[in-house]
């Protein structure tokens, strides 16, 4: 889809970021699976005083994000399942259209929780499908060369994130997306 799905999630993610960062004068934000840095760029425009860090597993994506962000943010090659940061250093973690790529979603969820400060939030936008379509797509994904692992149901996402986060809100976005906001108590 050449990024169309991810871009459609950005306004919702930005709205939730505004709610999560209200009253924080110089927030620290982590964009997990930052890809080309397009969402990071929009976050920097929306929050000019934020300290933003982007991570992606792909060296090619990291280079594209670095070029787009031109030194306004730190961009690192890193695995979402092994985030190279100390505990409790970010006010907000965003993850757009990449959670379905993670082989160990429980570990990725823990890592996102771990790097958040108490009271911080995770805003996660991802692909969603109704049960029949999700079953077909999940059966097909091992044959894909796109790095997709699994599309999660609302129940599955709530369970994965609910292990670590105190409050988990899920909503559908359009026909093929979902938004999850998880709070660290």
């Amino acid at each position: 889809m050449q990024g169309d799905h991810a871009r459609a999630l950005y306004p919702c993610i930005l709205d939730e970021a505004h709610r999560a960062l209200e009253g924080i004068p110089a927030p620290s934000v982590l964009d997990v699976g930052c890809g080309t840095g397009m969402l990071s760029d929009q976050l920097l425009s929306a929050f000019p005083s934020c300290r933003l860090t982007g991570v992606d597993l792909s060296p090619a994506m990291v280079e594209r994000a670095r070029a787009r962000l031109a030194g306004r943010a730190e961009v690192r090659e890193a695995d979402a399942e092994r985030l190279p940061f100390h505990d409790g250093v970010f006010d907000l973690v965003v993850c757009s259209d990449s959670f379905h790529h993670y082989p160990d979603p429980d570990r990725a969820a823990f890592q996102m929780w771990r790097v958040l400060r108490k009271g911080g939030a995770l805003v996660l936008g991802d692909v969603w499908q109704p049960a029949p379509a999700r079953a077909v797509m999940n059966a097909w994904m091992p044959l894909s060369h796109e790095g997709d692992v699994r599309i999660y149901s609302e129940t599955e996402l709530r369970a994965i994130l609910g292990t670590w986060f105190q409050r988990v809100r899920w909503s559908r976005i359009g026909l093929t997306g979902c938004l999850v906001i998880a709070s660290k108590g």
Side-chain angles (χ1 to χ4, degrees), residues 69-143:
L69 300 173
R72 296 178 294 137
E74 178 184 5
V75 182
R76 295 169 130 186
E77 187 178 328
D79 187 337
E81 297 172 10
R82 291 168 196 78
L83 293 173
F85 306 105
H86 294 291
D87 296 354
V89 295
F90 295 100
D91 297 299
L92 175 69
V93 173
V94 297
C95 180
S96 179
D97 227 16
S98 65
F99 198 77
H100 65 277
H101 289 284
Y102 304 153
D104 189 344
D106 296 302
R107 184 173 175 96
F110 166 73
Q111 288 291 310
M112 293 179 207
W113 174 86
R114 181 186 63 76
V115 300
L116 274 171
R117 289 188 176 108
K118 185 177 172 103
L122 165 65
V123 179
L124 186 152
D126 210 27
V127 66
W128 178 86
Q129 292 286 319
R134 189 173 55 249
V136 169
M137 290 185 77
N138 284 339
W140 173 80
M141 282 185 178
L143 307 173

Side-chain angles (χ1 to χ4, degrees), residues 5 36 47 98 110 135 142 146 163 176:
H5 189 268
T36 65
F47 305 98
S98 65
F110 166 73
E146 299 298 315
T163 300
T176 61

Side-chain angles (χ1 to χ4, degrees), residues 9 95 97-102 105-106 108-110 112 122-129 134 150-165 167-173 176-182:
L9 297 171
C95 180
D97 227 16
S98 65
F99 198 77
H100 65 277
H101 289 284
Y102 304 153
D106 296 302
F110 166 73
M112 293 179 207
L122 165 65
V123 179
L124 186 152
D126 210 27
V127 66
W128 178 86
Q129 292 286 319
R134 189 173 55 249
R150 183 172 179 80
I151 296 173
Y152 298 97
S153 69
E154 174 184 355
T155 302
E156 290 170 319
L157 278 172
R158 285 181 179 277
I160 291 165
L161 297 173
T163 300
W164 302 104
F165 292 90
R167 289 180 309 281
V168 178
R169 289 188 294 125
W170 184 96
S171 58
R172 213 169 121 186
I173 305 298
T176 61
C178 68
L179 188 69
V180 185
I181 298 90

Side-chain angles (χ1 to χ4, degrees), residues 2-21:
Q2 302 299 318
D4 290 342
H5 189 268
R7 282 189 294 278
L9 297 171
Y10 293 170
C12 300
I13 292 170
L14 289 166
D15 284 346
E16 290 299 332
H18 278 286
R19 281 191 254 304
L21 297 176

